């Protein structure tokens, strides 16, 4: 079955600290992978995406993610978190042959000052 | 460039009623997808419309139906509302139906079923 898993429901980091949000997928081939962020009162916004090629992808707001085929992972990282990064983060999966996006359950990020 | 808009913002209905939610896609986009996001969950794919035809459907019953108009705006209709239909309904538009295209999301319609 095709699926995406975010093992961490809630993460708290201090402002200025580094961040890594975990994402694992289950699929027989290389999927299209995305990270979206949802802030209170805001719509879902795309941070970055991976289809092929360079396994380290850069996104907006200083985020990056690394695709690791051997681990079926696509973890999101940021070297220094800002208080405005507090939000819900979703790892999202698409097989590339279908149109639907499959969302993980999300990780809620809290940033302490 | 106008982004994806949805109406209404909030809606309260009672069980058994019917509801219509509306979505205007971003300029130049011919594909609209609808998602249901229950509280504390990730969005779940309902269906997608491409050039006025349904192009894929998730695991939702037939009482969830939709339309796409020639200007590529879209409606989501839900009949015989149930309490579990209470959720945030998100609309997303994309340039076309290819999976690699970014889907741009609207702010959503919060539906409460009493």
């Amino acid at each position: 079955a095709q699926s995406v898993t975010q093992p961490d429901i809630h993460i708290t980091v201090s402002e200025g600290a580094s961040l890594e949000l975990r994402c694992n997928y289950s699929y027989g081939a290389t999927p299209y992978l995305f990270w979206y962020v949802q802030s209170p009162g805001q719509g879902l916004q795309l941070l970055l995406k991976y289809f092929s090629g360079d396994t380290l992808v850069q996104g907006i707001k200083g985020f990056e993610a690394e695709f690791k085929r051997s681990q079926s992972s696509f973890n999101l990282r940021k070297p220094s978190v800002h208080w405005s990064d507090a939000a819900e983060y979703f790892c999202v999966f698409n097989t590339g042959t279908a149109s639907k996006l499959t969302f993980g359950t999300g990780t809620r990020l809290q940033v302490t000052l | 460039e106008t982004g994806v808009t949805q109406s209404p913002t909030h809606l309260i209905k009672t069980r058994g009623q019917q509801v219509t939610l509306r979505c205007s896609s971003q300029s130049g986009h011919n594909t609209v997808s609808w998602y249901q996001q229950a509280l504390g969950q990730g969005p779940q794919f309902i269906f997608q419309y491409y050039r006025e035809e349904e192009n894929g459907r998730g695991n939702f019953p037939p009482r969830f139906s939709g339309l796409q108009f020639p200007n590529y705006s879209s409606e989501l209709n839900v009949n015989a509302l149930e309490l579990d239909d209470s959720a945030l309904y998100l609309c997303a538009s994309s340039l076309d139906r290819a999976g690699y295209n970014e889907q741009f999301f609207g702010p959503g319609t919060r539906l409460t079923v009493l």
Side-chain angles (χ1 to χ4, degrees):
Chain A
Q2 304 151 6
S3 65
V4 60
T5 303
Q6 294 180 250
D8 304 307
I9 296 172
H10 187 206
I11 284 183
T12 301
V13 299
S14 300
E15 189 174 42
S18 64
L19 171 70
E20 182 168 27
L21 303 183
R22 296 184 292 163
C23 172
N24 293 96
Y25 68 89
S26 174
Y27 184 54
T30 300
Y32 295 168
L33 292 163
F34 309 79
W35 276 97
Y36 276 83
V37 61
Q38 187 175 38
S39 302
Q42 306 275 327
L44 282 156
Q45 182 180 26
L46 179 67
L47 289 175
L48 45 78
K49 59 187 177 184
Y50 173 78
F51 302 142
S52 64
D54 193 348
T55 56
L56 184 64
V57 293
Q58 303 296 321
I60 63 171
K61 304 184 179 185
F63 285 93
E64 67 177 27
E66 187 171 12
F67 173 70
K68 293 185 177 180
R69 186 190 309 276
S70 61
Q71 298 177 19
S72 298
S73 68
F74 187 56
N75 293 350
L76 181 71
R77 300 193 294 249
K78 187 170 184 176
S80 177
V81 169
H82 188 262
W83 64 266
S84 61
D85 292 326
E88 186 89 21
Y89 290 80
F90 292 98
C91 183
V92 183
F93 166 104
N94 180 298
T95 64
T97 58
S99 48
K100 77 171 195 176
L101 297 179
T102 298
F103 283 74
T105 50
T107 297
R108 178 160 295 279
L109 174 65
Q110 183 176 355
V111 180
T112 58
L113 300 176
Chain B
E1 182 181 271
T2 306
V4 178
T5 60
Q6 293 186 243
S7 63
T9 307
H10 295 88
L11 203 52
I12 299 175
K13 293 285 188 178
T14 56
R15 274 185 305 173
Q17 286 190 308
Q18 178 266 342
V19 70
T20 297
L21 310 182
R22 295 177 175 83
C23 171
S24 291
S25 58
Q26 191 164 311
S27 177
H29 288 188
N30 60 25
T31 302
V32 171
S33 305
W34 286 92
Y35 295 83
Q36 179 196 67
Q37 186 177 19
L39 204 59
Q41 303 291 320
Q44 299 289 314
F45 176 74
I46 302 174
F47 43 56
Q48 182 183 83
Y49 279 84
Y50 168 69
R51 294 182 178 272
E52 303 179 59
E53 298 285 333
E54 188 178 287
N55 180 53
R57 187 180 182 92
N59 190 27
F60 281 81
R63 59 190 185 83
F64 285 78
S65 63
L67 280 174
Q68 188 178 31
F69 300 98
N71 66 355
Y72 302 132
S73 65
S74 178
E75 286 183 353
L76 164 65
N77 299 289
V78 188
N79 293 322
L81 283 167
E82 301 177 0
L83 296 179
D84 284 349
D85 295 333
S86 294
L88 180 67
Y89 288 84
L90 296 164
C91 161
S93 76
S94 52
L95 203 56
D96 63 38
R97 59 184 173 177
Y100 52 74
N101 284 316
E102 179 179 353
Q103 294 191 20
F104 293 81
F105 284 82
T109 294
R110 174 74 62 187
L111 172 65
T112 302
V113 182
L114 302 175

